[in-house]
Amino acid sequence: MNLTHLNRAGEVHMVDISGKTPGEREARASGVVRCAPETIQLIEEQAARKGDVLAVIRVAGIQGAKRTPELIPLAHPIAVHAVTIDLELTENTIEIAATVKTADATGIEMEALTAVSCAALTAIDMVKGVDRGAYIERIWLEEKRGGRSGTWVRA
């Protein structure tokens, strides 16, 4: 198995995707932010001093997907055609899922992961004034579809 961002001399480079065929591609990533139950209650009641926490988290996720090539050094600037950020509150978590779509020549997995990362970091920023112990529990790719490698789904 070879790392694609290393050339034959072992030097970092941006992968050449000029010969790849554009096509529909989709990726879904998820993450969990753990908070105190009182923090979740504030979010549910829209009583946080910073405003509508879920709306800000959602916008941050969308913005993160769109700005991925600015944040991840070797990510290609590709067209992001759709971003959906789904949020679910449990007793002590904010569950984040991002689905990102493109019809470009390379995968959209990094955009989905960046969307979740930015949404999770924003969740922490929105609640840190009342919950210093809030933390990101995990972020990972759930599935990807399209492209040369086809479909992959987390077991």
Side-chain angles (χ1 to χ4, degrees):
M1 177 186 305
N2 295 325
L3 296 174
T4 59
H5 290 297
L6 297 178
N7 65 19
R8 290 185 179 159
E11 301 163 334
V12 174
H13 74 112
M14 189 172 198
V15 174
D16 181 359
I17 63 167
S18 61
K20 292 177 83 175
T21 304
E24 289 186 24
R25 299 159 198 269
E26 179 178 326
R28 187 168 55 85
S30 68
V32 175
V33 175
R34 191 159 295 275
C35 306
E38 299 80 22
T39 304
I40 298 297
Q41 185 175 354
L42 277 175
I43 295 169
E44 287 175 332
E45 295 171 358
Q46 293 192 3
R49 288 191 345 227
K50 290 188 176 183
D52 186 342
V53 173
L54 297 180
V56 176
I57 292 169
R58 190 171 279 112
V59 170
I62 293 167
Q63 190 67 17
K66 292 167 38 179
R67 309 280 307 251
T68 298
E70 295 173 33
L71 300 169
I72 308 300
L74 300 176
H76 291 87
I78 61 174
V80 174
H81 292 126
V83 181
T84 303
I85 306 294
D86 294 310
L87 303 171
E88 183 177 333
L89 299 177
T90 69
E91 181 183 343
N92 60 350
T93 64
I94 303 168
E95 297 185 6
I96 304 164
T99 303
V100 185
K101 296 180 182 181
T102 189
D104 217 318
T106 193
I108 195 98
E109 298 92 342
M110 290 312 302
E111 286 74 6
L113 286 162
T114 303
V116 173
S117 299
C118 288
L121 288 167
T122 299
I124 298 291
D125 183 50
M126 293 295 288
V127 305
K128 70 181 183 217
V130 295
D131 189 351
R132 295 269 183 220
Y135 63 95
I136 299 168
E137 190 167 273
R138 69 156 171 79
I139 295 171
W140 62 30
L141 186 67
E142 295 284 350
E143 63 183 293
K144 60 82 66 186
R145 300 185 186 287
R148 186 179 60 221
S149 64
T151 298
W152 177 88
V153 178
R154 179 168 295 284

